[in-house]
């Protein structure tokens, strides 16, 4: 009987742990690793994207990792976005932008050192997908603030349309 109670307790604890939020980005990626597609983007690809799009922000990016979870229902999308927010808080990121348009969300969090932003994470969910872009960059905080001030609800819808 003691073995059954002990095994039951252990099973419940493991189940609760797997449902709990993550406390850093490494835990976040580990939790959703089997459910996601990860595409690393080297700096030359980012610079090319910047030239094609005409967006100056790309010139500051050193590298990026795109993390996509497809076919996620609304409950799973909310859970993934909640875990993402918990992870960036756990690593002392600063939430810069948090916008909502219909059922789509955009969260941008940054980490800076000495007035320069060196890490930025975008989290976007929409329709049945979640997109996380984890990027390393080097940009003065003031310049990034100007770029992020231009983000609006239409941008969220555009990103959600990309996720279709």
């Amino acid at each position: 009987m003691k073995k059954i109670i002990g095994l039951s307790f252990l099973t419940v604890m493991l189940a609760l742990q797997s449902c709990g939020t993550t406390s850093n980005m490494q835990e976040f990626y580990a939790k959703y690793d089997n459910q996601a597609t990860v595409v690393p983007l080297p700096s030359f690809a980012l610079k090319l994207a910047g030239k094609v799009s005409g967006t100056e922000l790309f010139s500051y990016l050193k590298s990026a990792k795109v993390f996509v979870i497809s076919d996620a229902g609304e409950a799973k999308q909310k859970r993934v976005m909640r875990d993402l927010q918990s992870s960036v808080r756990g690593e002392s990121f600063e939430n810069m932008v948090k916008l909502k348009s219909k059922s789509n969300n955009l969260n941008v969090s940054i980490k800076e050192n000495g007035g320069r932003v060196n890490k930025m994470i975008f989290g976007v969910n929409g329709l049945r997908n979640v997109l996380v872009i984890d990027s390393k960059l080097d940009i003065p905080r003031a310049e990034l603030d100007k770029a992020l001030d231009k983000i609006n609800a239409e941008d969220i819808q555009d990103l959600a349309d990309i996720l279709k």
Side-chain angles (χ1 to χ4, degrees):
M1 183 68 166
K2 288 182 180 181
K3 287 182 181 180
I4 293 173
I5 292 172
L7 286 174
S8 297
F9 178 75
L10 182 62
T11 303
V12 169
M13 292 305 290
L14 288 174
L16 287 175
Q17 183 179 2
S18 68
C19 294
T21 59
T22 56
S23 62
N24 60 49
M25 291 307 296
Q26 186 175 353
E27 285 180 16
F28 174 82
Y29 291 128
K31 182 175 183 177
Y32 295 105
D33 185 46
N34 293 333
Q35 304 163 42
T37 302
V38 180
V39 179
L41 299 174
S43 63
F44 76 87
L46 295 167
K47 291 192 187 330
L48 180 63
K51 287 179 183 176
V52 170
S53 70
T55 304
E56 188 179 325
L57 185 60
F58 282 98
S59 66
Y60 295 102
L61 294 174
K62 293 181 177 182
S63 67
K65 175 172 41 173
V66 178
F67 185 86
V68 181
I69 298 176
S70 302
D71 277 339
E74 189 175 329
K76 183 172 185 176
Q77 288 182 49
K78 287 181 181 178
R79 186 172 59 247
V80 172
M81 293 300 283
R82 187 175 51 244
D83 283 345
L84 178 61
Q85 286 301 300
S86 175
S87 296
V88 296
R89 271 193 312 272
E91 290 195 12
S92 302
F93 277 78
E94 178 183 345
N95 283 334
M96 290 295 299
V97 177
K98 188 171 187 174
L99 296 173
K100 185 171 182 146
S101 172
K102 298 179 186 173
S103 62
N104 306 313
N105 295 295
L106 167 69
N107 295 311
V108 179
S109 301
I110 64 164
K111 192 181 265 190
E112 72 175 292
N113 185 7
R116 297 189 71 81
V117 177
N118 53 24
K119 192 131 168 116
M120 183 168 51
I121 297 181
F122 284 88
V124 183
N125 72 309
L127 300 173
R128 299 192 54 81
N129 301 301
V130 177
L131 172 70
V132 176
I133 303 172
D134 187 340
S135 57
K136 293 179 182 173
L137 66 161
D138 184 22
I139 183 173
R141 172 68 185 261
E143 286 186 44
L144 183 62
D145 286 344
K146 288 178 192 173
L148 293 178
D149 283 343
K150 296 176 185 175
I151 294 176
N152 60 41
E154 290 176 15
D155 296 324
I156 299 172
Q157 193 57 46
D158 292 344
L159 286 170
D161 290 344
I162 292 170
L163 293 173
K164 284 183 182 179

